[in-house]
Amino acid sequence: MLTGCSDNGKPAAGSDATLVAYTGQAGDYQINFNPFSPSRIGGLGTIYEPLFFFNKAKVSDPVPLLGTQQAWNADGTVLSVTLRDKVMWSDGQPFTARDVVLTFDLLKANPAINNIGYDGTAAAVDDTHVTFTFKTPAYVKGPDLLGTPIVPEHLWKTIDPTKDVVEKPVGTGAYLLKDFKPQAFTYSPNPGYWGGQPKIKTIRFLALSGNQAGADGIAAGTIDWQTGPIPDMQNTHKRFPNYDAYTQYQNQMVLATCSSAAMGCAGPQTDPDVRHAIYSAINRTQLNKLAFQDTAGPISPAFTLTPSQDKFVSPTVQDKTASMNAQPDQTARILEKAGWAKGTDGIYAKGGQRLSLTVEVVTGWTDYITAIDTMAAQLKTAGIELRAAQSSWNEWTQKKGSGKFQLVIDSLGQGPAPDPYYLYTYFFDSGSGAKVGENAGNNFSRYANPQVDAALDKLATLPLDDQAARQSYFDTIQQAVTRDMPYIPVMTGGTTSVWNTAKFTGWPSDNDLYAFPAVWSAMDAAEVFKRLTPAS
């Protein structure tokens, strides 16, 4: 499957060049182009467009896509959107406001897919105008709402959005699904795209065995865009002259816990004292060197990106960032105060239960696997046993969604605006959690705290630029988050992409950071695909 080079070994270029992308998918693909499914493999942005694109990489105005204008009324209860005229679905049917209304009606009627907590009422004023009405001010819902993928009413009115895998997706985006195989799927341009056909004519997404196979593909010149580790990443261009590497700090790496015994979680990780003990036992300096090639950065236990969101940190948060060094004395104090005692094997135990935990990780995610191995050695010294359980991406996703895990290594992604509200509402709002055995939304730790829910509800009524009015609610959330720690902070991942500059031009850069440059960040990747040009 690692194809894409010419016979002479040099990268194929020109108008027919195929862009080969690898997202980290380990194991075969299972077809799923349902944009609302947690196990979807593609389609966001490329096939299914939102109303506007929001650039997560920097503060900037939203980019009009299916919408052209948007505005709130004076009290933040009605959002009016003007839609782009004369847009066609890829099956030839016209796009209208009815499609937008149907999309949001589906979200509201199906909590399992309503990760943005949409609770408004969508109405078609006419074919090119739609309104969203809320019972209370809903300013903060704007970026998520406007960034939701829109689906065609004439097809989706008979689709179960919680179960259908949509093998033949129909969208308004710049690309169509050309073919699918378990080892790869391919996009081709949408000839009727309202924005004009993109210059990249073929995009192929590969499924490989893991990061090592991706790194091998870069070395062989057979992968054009990978967001993930390769050896000696800082010297990418020197080692591989056809490639460059670019790093952005966005994703906060965590050991996510199935945290709530009341929701059916089982294991020592349901005890906040155990979570704090793990947090203080990690030597992040060593971890960064061994697992992340010194590309990761500090992380705040309040999950405010540092330093860009430091202004949101509550004065009650004792440590603005996690210690870079292990604190074994603190780990011992926490556990012994909670009734744990070291056994003859050096591992703490209580009530006949050893302090032994399993971390779920995707087979082939070499950086995360190395991170778990490193943390396992660190935690063993502190009296905690940590073990890795590797599985395919599909099985890992299923375990995470259903709550059939103790710990999962993952990253908490940022929202559509540089504001911690979005991460809090995604991952800490009980509304997107679920009992173990039921499929959760983003809150896969199953954290539930009425005070946090109430503070999020209050923040939803306030304009994003009213810092003075919002801070007390951030204080409430951060006090709970740092105390309960359902997601154990590890580090802020330096998200590094390696891409082929000999075959394609127009990649994001410091001078033109028009999208978050990660191939697995689907909406951003769709914008990158539209900007790229084959090298002559």
Side-chain angles (χ1 to χ4, degrees), residues 295-306:
T295 62
I299 189 170
S300 168
F303 292 107
T304 48
L305 272 181
T306 186

Side-chain angles (χ1 to χ4, degrees), residues 7-9 31 48 60 81 92 108 118 139 186 196 203 220 246 271 284 295 325 354 379 390 415 437 474 479 535:
D7 292 339
N8 62 9
I31 194 164
Y48 302 103
S60 56
V81 180
K108 193 172 180 178
Y118 172 71
Y139 298 102
T186 304
I203 300 170
Y246 187 87
D271 181 355
R284 292 172 175 81
T295 62
N325 299 312
R354 295 174 73 250
L379 268 61
Q390 299 185 37
F474 282 131
Q479 289 166 17

Side-chain angles (χ1 to χ4, degrees), residues 1 71 140 260 328 358 404 476 523:
M1 296 307 303
V140 296
S260 172
T358 299
K404 303 295 181 66
T476 296
M523 293 295 188

